[in-house]
Amino acid sequence: MPANKTIILNHFFPRFLGWTLVLQLLVWLASREPAVAAPVELAIAGFAGEFYRLFFGDILISANQLIHEGSGAYVVVDQECTALALVATVWAGIFSLSHSLKKKIMMAIIAIAVIQLENAFRIMHLYYEIGKVINRFEFYHLYVWQLINFITAVCVFFFLDKAFQKKEFNLGLP
């Protein structure tokens, strides 16, 4: 087996499993604590709702609910809609890499921003779907967006790893 594959197997994967356990536990604990979960849900619902309003306008935002003015149908942004479990998995991968701590922190910040932006688009699309008389909400919610979430997470992880390996993208970090 080539040396670099052995290094990956011996160093990355055990660290990845450890970070995954720790970060997923933190996400689970945060989701069980209303003082932590509610502000996150409200912020994500508010961001997605206000962004949607810029383009379409037919939305009422009530706490963590996005309500379609025409039909009265609504989307609830709850703990499963925060994408924090996905962020935790990407962060576990990032913190398992051999980059400096400063680079890992910068990568983690970029990763959460990209994933939450994609999550806002997901919420906006699902909200748009529920406004239709005949909609495919369940199909998009359970299948299409899960695939898009997975592909986004993998692409973000690999892009950041490659980008931060290049000297011209290191943002002056050692």
Side-chain angles (χ1 to χ4, degrees):
M1 185 179 299
N4 60 350
K5 286 187 180 182
T6 303
I7 290 171
I8 290 172
L9 291 175
N10 289 338
H11 298 293
F12 178 82
F13 290 112
R15 285 190 227 159
F16 177 71
L17 291 174
W19 276 111
T20 299
L21 288 171
V22 168
L23 293 172
Q24 292 296 345
L25 177 64
L26 290 174
V27 167
W28 180 77
L29 290 171
S31 72
R32 299 291 177 249
E33 181 59 45
V36 177
V40 171
E41 294 166 7
L42 292 173
I44 292 170
F47 177 75
E50 292 299 337
F51 199 63
Y52 184 91
R53 182 177 283 147
L54 288 174
F55 299 102
F56 301 104
D58 60 343
I59 188 170
L60 295 172
I61 304 167
S62 176
N64 65 336
Q65 293 183 358
L66 306 178
I67 305 165
H68 195 268
E69 289 179 337
S71 68
Y74 59 92
V75 171
V76 176
V77 178
D78 59 14
Q79 62 196 16
E80 286 82 20
C81 300
T82 62
L84 293 181
L86 183 63
V87 168
T89 302
V90 173
W91 279 11
I94 289 170
F95 292 132
S96 301
L97 294 170
S98 59
H99 297 290
S100 70
L101 181 60
K102 288 180 183 178
K103 285 185 179 182
K104 289 178 187 181
I105 291 169
M106 183 60 82
M107 292 166 72
I109 291 168
I110 293 169
I112 196 170
V114 171
I115 290 170
Q116 287 302 334
L117 185 61
E118 183 266 340
N119 190 44
F121 279 111
R122 179 183 71 85
I123 293 167
M124 289 186 295
H125 174 258
L126 293 173
Y127 171 79
Y128 175 79
E129 272 299 307
I130 59 115
K132 296 179 180 179
V133 176
I134 299 173
N135 65 61
R136 310 253 346 222
F137 177 88
E138 293 296 324
F139 174 74
Y140 285 114
H141 184 254
L142 297 175
Y143 302 106
V144 173
W145 280 107
Q146 298 310 312
L147 177 63
I148 293 170
N149 287 345
F150 176 76
I151 291 169
T152 299
V154 170
C155 289
V156 164
F157 174 75
F158 283 111
F159 171 77
L160 288 172
D161 181 36
K162 291 296 180 194
F164 276 79
Q165 286 177 5
K166 295 181 180 181
K167 292 191 186 293
E168 57 273 2
F169 190 80
N170 71 9
L171 303 172
L173 302 173

